[in-house]
């Protein structure tokens, strides 16, 4: 999960640095930039840490009309200057940046690069050294040597390569890692995603796996590694550049939490008509309606949204649902039903663990749908069908509005399929009204954020651990609340089925252990109150987030009324805010937590 930017035909330095800053959410443990002024001067600068450290190291004369840059999330080799990209071959002719993982780099080094002097521990360096060696041994131009090398490389990659003997070209190659080619006026630009360079152009070319390209300031050629020309047409992306900016917010995470009422309204407008009729591609509805089991595959927060989706589809579409962790499912396929339908939930649409499953689903010629927030993303393009979350760019590493959007869009599909099958609950499901309630309830909860900040200060300032507990659908929310808190505040937090705690884990409860209890489930509300008493008896500090129907005097947050299966849309809001304030109050970088990246494109 690294970020890459390349420019040819325009003063490249600031464009690359700005693009990398916009891509820092993808990885930020080291960074580097190569610039060439196409007049015999070239510059290579690298730094550990954030892009700001790289900017400080650059001198004013380091400029160029062609350049490549990289912000790294380390996979092979510690975050050091030597391991930072761009990497170069031993003759310092070729410079390469890479996002992905080269699976056979050790084999390449052993088989083709004996005696070559390496300067890093990275897998990437093996590729650029291979390009250099092939170019020298076979007396080839840069692009030809690059294509020859790619025939030997196995793994995922988005490569940008510069040959300093031809500094008016950037050579590119894509396989499994995201890359977009932007078409400018008198220049061209390549980046990991379109949003990061929207200030330069809105015209892009969707690159596919297996594409290799030769980019100049006013042309682009896309081929296969065997040199077969491939036609890739440019198109205009209508994304609002302002949507991807922080505005008055200190952190994207709070901005994106606050945007959730608007996202609910947007989804309602996009997917429901004024009479509560669903607006979903009939081909998708028919395909799901014909299935005898839905398999929802995802990772992290999206997996937690899938757990809520299970309740929605089973109630409103009357179809059994299995929710799986993509990383497990991908290598241990269960015995499938006779007519399975696969739904992939992925904010980024680039998660490698999910792509492994989709590849096998496609190989088995089974129908699939990707629900994603990124138009044109890999999971979106490779699935049979796609539905967009319409949540607007989500920049903070911790996913918030994409989670609630995934729940809302699953509810739309569940209703549409149920109506197709004549399920009475679906016909009675006034989703238009429920999403309006969700928007209003969310607004009320985000307006009460100061209270959540007080809870964070009171209960989470000095703790090393915490628990979320809930039953029924609240158990799914407890898992998501726990993930939010731990990933941005580094407080070891577990989400637990409330009754399960007493089967061993309650041994961890001691004086002042924070426990957040969620109560929306009519069938078990009283039982959860009993579980609260059990942990209080052992010294826990309990915060209660309860639906209005179940709220009692002293509860910390009362959640507005909403359909039970949609209650996670509201319960998660105080949990998101609690995580935000716990992190902010500790002085952490809420948007870019340590060790994480926004799009996990490695397995
Ligand atoms: C969410 O807060 C996490 N950053 C992470 O778990 C994320 O949900 C997961 O990596 C899946 O990403 P995706 O939705 O883009 O597939």
């Amino acid at each position: 999960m690294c970020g890459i930017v390349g420019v040819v035909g325009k003063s490249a330095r600031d464009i690359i640095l700005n693009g990398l800053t916009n891509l820092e959410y993808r990885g930020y443990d080291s960074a580097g930039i190569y610039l060439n002024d196409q007049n015999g001067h070239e510059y290579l600068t690298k730094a550990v840490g954030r892009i700001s450290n790289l900017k400080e190291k650059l001198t004013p004369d380091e400029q160029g009309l062609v350049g490549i840059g990289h912000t790294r999330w380390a996979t092979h080799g510690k975050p050091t200057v030597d391991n930072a990209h761009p990497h170069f071959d031993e003759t310092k002719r070729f410079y390469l940046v890479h996002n992905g993982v080269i699976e056979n780099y050790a084999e390449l080094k052993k088989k083709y690069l004996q005696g070559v002097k390496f300067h890093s521990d990275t897998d990437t360096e093996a590729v650029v050294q291979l390009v250099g060696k092939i170019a020298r041994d076979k007396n080839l131009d840069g692009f030809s040597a690059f294509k020859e090398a790619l025939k030997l490389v196995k793994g995922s990659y988005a490569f940008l390569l510069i040959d300093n003997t031809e500094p008016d070209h950037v050579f590119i190659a894509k396989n499994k890692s995201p890359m977009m080619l932007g078409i400018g006026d008198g220049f061209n630009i390549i980046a990991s995603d379109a949003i990061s360079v929207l200030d330069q152009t809105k015209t892009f070319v969707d690159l596919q796996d297996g594409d290799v390209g030769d980019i100049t300031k006013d042309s682009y050629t896309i081929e296969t590694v065997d040199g077969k020309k491939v036609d890739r047409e440019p198109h205009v992306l209508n994304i609002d550049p302002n949507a991807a900016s922080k505005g008055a917010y200190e952190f994207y995470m709070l901005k994106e939490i606050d945007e959730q009422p608007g996202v609910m309204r947007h989804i309602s407008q996009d997917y429901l008509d004024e009479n509560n009729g669903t607006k979903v591609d009939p081909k998708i509805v028919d395909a799901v309606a014909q299935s005898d089991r839905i398999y929802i595959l995802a990772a992290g927060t999206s997996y937690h949204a899938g757990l809520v989706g299970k309740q929605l589809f089973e109630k409103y579409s009357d179809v059994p649902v299995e929710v799986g962790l993509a990383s497990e499912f991908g290598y241990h396929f269960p015995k499938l039903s006779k007519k399975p339908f696969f739904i992939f939930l992925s904010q980024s649409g680039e998660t490698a663990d999910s792509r492994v499953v989709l590849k096998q689903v496609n190989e088995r010629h089974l129908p699939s749908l990707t629900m994603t927030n990124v138009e044109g993303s890999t999971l979106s393009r490779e699935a049979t069908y796609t539905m967009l979350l319409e949540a607007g760019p989500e920049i903070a590493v911790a996913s918030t509005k994409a989670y609630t959007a995934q729940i809302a869009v699953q509810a739309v599909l569940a209703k549409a399929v149920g109506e197709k099958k004549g399920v009475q609950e679906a016909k009675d499901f006034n989703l238009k009204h429920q999403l309006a309630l969700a928007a209003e309830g969310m607004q009320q909860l985000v307006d009460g954020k100061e209270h959540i900040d007080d809870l964070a200060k009171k209960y989470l300032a000095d703790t090393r651990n915490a628990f979320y507990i809930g039953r029924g659908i609240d158990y799914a929310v407890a898992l998501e609340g726990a993930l939010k808190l731990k990933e941005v505040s580094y407080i070891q937090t577990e989400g637990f089925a409330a009754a399960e705690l007493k089967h061993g884990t309650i041994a961890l409860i001691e004086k002042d252990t924070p426990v957040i209890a969620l109560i929306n489930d009519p069938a078990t509300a009283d039982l959860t109150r009993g579980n609260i008493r059990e942990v209080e008896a052992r010294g826990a500090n309990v915060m209660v987030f309860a639906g209005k129907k179940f709220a009692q005097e002293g509860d910390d947050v009362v959640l507005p009324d909403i359909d039970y299966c949609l209650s996670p849309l509201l319960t998660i809001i105080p949990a998101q805010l609690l995580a935000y304030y716990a992190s902010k109050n500790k002085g952490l970088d809420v948007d870019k937590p340590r060790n994480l990246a926004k799009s996990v494109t490695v397995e």
Side-chain angles (χ1 to χ4, degrees):
M1 298 69 67
C2 307
I4 61 174
V5 180
V7 177
V8 54
K10 192 175 182 183
S11 179
R13 169 176 159 159
D14 292 344
I15 295 172
I16 290 173
L17 292 173
N18 186 50
L20 291 178
T21 302
N22 294 336
L23 286 168
E24 256 196 323
Y25 68 87
R26 299 176 59 83
Y28 34 83
D29 57 39
S30 56
I33 185 170
Y34 169 83
L35 293 163
N36 189 308
D37 70 357
Q38 300 176 345
N39 198 17
H41 304 102
E42 60 183 2
Y43 311 96
L44 176 65
T45 304
K46 307 183 188 183
V48 172
R50 299 293 166 80
I51 303 299
S52 52
N53 297 352
L54 177 64
K55 283 179 182 171
E56 280 164 25
K57 276 183 96 170
L58 284 165
T59 55
D61 58 329
E62 290 188 60
Q63 300 290 344
L65 286 172
V66 67
I68 52 178
H70 183 275
T71 180
R72 184 169 182 244
W73 186 81
T75 52
H76 292 74
K78 291 193 178 71
T80 63
V81 170
D82 284 343
N83 286 335
H85 302 209
H87 290 292
F88 46 87
D89 75 305
E90 59 184 351
T91 64
K92 296 195 175 179
R93 170 181 168 188
F94 292 99
Y95 293 83
L96 179 75
V97 296
H98 168 223
N99 174 30
V101 176
I102 305 304
E103 289 158 14
N104 66 333
Y105 79 100
E107 180 193 324
L108 293 172
K109 289 173 82 165
K110 189 158 172 256
K111 199 168 174 185
Y112 302 103
L113 300 168
Q114 292 293 342
V116 169
K117 191 172 173 341
F118 280 79
H119 56 263
S120 81
D121 310 323
T122 66
D123 53 339
T124 305
E125 188 190 352
V127 176
V128 71
Q129 294 282 16
L130 183 63
V131 174
K133 189 155 191 320
I134 290 171
R136 289 191 301 279
D137 292 356
K138 299 185 176 181
N139 191 26
L140 291 177
D141 63 272
F143 193 36
S144 304
F146 188 36
K147 286 184 280 187
E148 286 306 305
L150 288 169
K151 290 174 185 170
L152 304 170
V153 169
K154 292 196 189 82
S156 58
Y157 49 78
F159 284 133
L160 303 180
L161 177 77
I162 291 179
D163 172 356
N164 68 8
T165 65
E166 302 174 86
D168 46 354
H169 296 256
V170 176
F171 303 126
I172 68 172
K174 181 199 183 306
N175 188 47
K176 298 185 183 176
S177 293
M179 183 194 277
M180 295 290 277
L181 168 59
I183 308 300
D185 181 8
F187 70 96
N188 284 321
I189 189 164
I190 313 101
S192 298
D193 68 25
I195 293 170
S196 59
V197 293
L198 264 184
D199 60 324
Q200 296 298 320
T201 180
K202 286 195 169 186
T203 305
F204 290 90
V205 173
D206 282 340
L207 298 166
Q208 313 286 335
D209 289 350
D211 284 359
V212 296
D214 176 356
I215 317 300
T216 68
K217 66 178 182 175
D218 49 16
S219 71
Y220 66 93
T221 309
I222 308 294
E223 303 175 10
T224 64
V225 285
D226 298 316
K228 189 158 97 27
K229 292 282 182 287
V230 176
D231 183 27
R232 293 274 184 261
E233 288 304 313
H235 60 93
V236 176
L237 260 190
N238 51 359
I239 303 177
D240 168 14
N242 296 323
S245 71
K246 261 192 292 196
Y249 286 88
E250 183 183 359
F251 294 107
Y252 280 107
M253 185 178 176
L254 187 60
K255 171 174 179 271
E256 289 153 11
I257 291 170
D258 280 353
E259 286 174 342
Q260 292 176 106
V263 171
M264 291 300 110
R265 294 191 181 99
H266 197 158
I267 289 169
S268 177
Q269 281 161 8
D270 271 20
Y271 282 112
L272 297 168
D273 63 29
E274 283 319 304
N275 307 315
N276 190 39
T278 54
K279 297 189 281 186
V280 180
D281 178 347
K283 290 195 297 297
I284 300 176
V285 178
D286 291 346
V288 181
Q290 286 157 25
S291 71
D292 62 359
R293 179 177 290 268
I294 292 174
Y295 294 85
I296 299 177
L297 282 312
T301 287
S302 296
Y303 169 75
H304 299 151
L307 296 173
V308 178
K310 170 181 169 70
Q311 311 257 343
L312 287 161
F313 283 108
E314 290 192 346
K315 176 172 182 184
Y316 294 112
S317 304
D318 189 28
V319 62
V321 177
E322 185 170 330
V323 188
L325 284 171
S327 54
E328 288 302 307
F329 204 96
Y331 293 93
H332 305 284
F333 254 65
K335 183 167 172 45
L336 298 178
S337 66
K338 290 192 175 24
K339 294 184 285 179
F341 187 89
F342 288 80
I343 295 178
F344 292 87
L345 300 180
S346 176
Q347 184 283 131
S348 65
E350 299 298 344
T351 297
D353 291 329
S354 301
R355 291 191 56 195
V356 166
V357 183
L358 180 52
K359 184 168 180 291
Q360 296 181 62
V361 166
N362 287 340
E363 284 164 0
R364 297 174 186 219
H365 307 294
L366 296 171
S368 61
L369 162 71
T370 289
M371 290 186 181
T372 183
N373 201 33
V374 180
E375 187 176 7
S377 58
T378 305
L379 283 164
S380 169
R381 282 185 286 107
E382 293 180 353
T384 318
Y385 308 105
T386 199
M387 290 174 77
L388 294 178
L389 299 179
E390 305 290 354
E394 185 179 75
I395 308 298
V397 166
S399 186
T400 50
K401 62 178 184 174
Y403 168 79
T404 49
Q406 284 169 342
I407 291 170
V409 176
Q410 287 179 98
V412 170
L413 182 57
K415 174 179 168 66
V417 171
E419 284 175 338
K420 173 81 180 174
K421 293 168 64 177
V423 177
Q424 193 55 46
E425 286 82 354
K427 291 177 184 169
D428 299 343
F429 188 23
N430 189 343
L431 185 53
K432 190 85 178 173
H433 175 62
Q434 288 297 324
L435 289 184
L437 288 180
E440 284 158 30
M442 285 175 166
Q443 193 58 57
Q444 183 187 317
L445 291 164
V446 297
D447 289 348
K449 56 170 65 83
E450 297 311 316
H451 172 53
I452 307 298
D453 187 10
D454 294 342
L455 292 176
K457 289 187 175 99
K458 183 176 175 186
Y459 293 112
L460 300 177
D462 309 315
T463 187
R464 276 290 305 147
N465 69 340
F467 290 84
Y468 269 90
I469 62 172
R471 296 167 84 129
I473 209 161
D474 287 326
Y475 174 33
V477 184
L479 295 174
E480 174 55 14
L483 176 60
K484 285 282 98 45
L485 185 55
K486 65 183 140 182
E487 71 173 324
V488 296
S489 73
Y490 315 150
I491 295 171
Q492 167 62 39
T493 312
E494 287 191 69
F496 246 85
E500 188 60 16
L501 208 60
K502 60 181 178 294
H503 297 287
T505 303
I506 201 166
L508 295 179
I509 302 293
E510 53 193 10
K511 185 170 174 346
D512 297 339
T513 302
V515 175
I516 302 107
L518 311 176
I519 306 179
N520 292 285
D521 180 10
T524 60
D526 293 342
L527 293 169
T528 305
R529 293 283 177 187
N531 301 137
I532 290 172
R533 284 191 289 277
E534 287 159 5
V535 295
E536 282 178 332
R538 287 152 181 86
N541 285 335
V542 178
M543 286 170 263
V544 179
F545 301 169
K548 197 173 173 185
K549 293 195 211 56
F550 315 104
Q552 293 180 4
E553 185 64 32
D555 287 350
D556 298 275
V557 178
V558 177
L559 302 160
D561 271 345
I562 194 168
D563 174 279
Y564 170 68
C565 287
L566 292 175
S567 61
L569 293 175
L570 298 182
T571 313
I572 199 60
I573 302 298
Q576 292 169 344
L577 289 167
L578 201 59
Y580 170 79
Y581 285 112
S583 176
K584 180 177 183 295
N585 297 338
K586 290 172 81 171
L588 299 171
D589 184 338
V590 181
D591 288 340
K592 302 189 190 81
R594 67 188 181 198
N595 307 341
L596 299 188
K598 182 63 179 173
S599 172
V600 185
T601 54
V602 293
E603 288 189 57

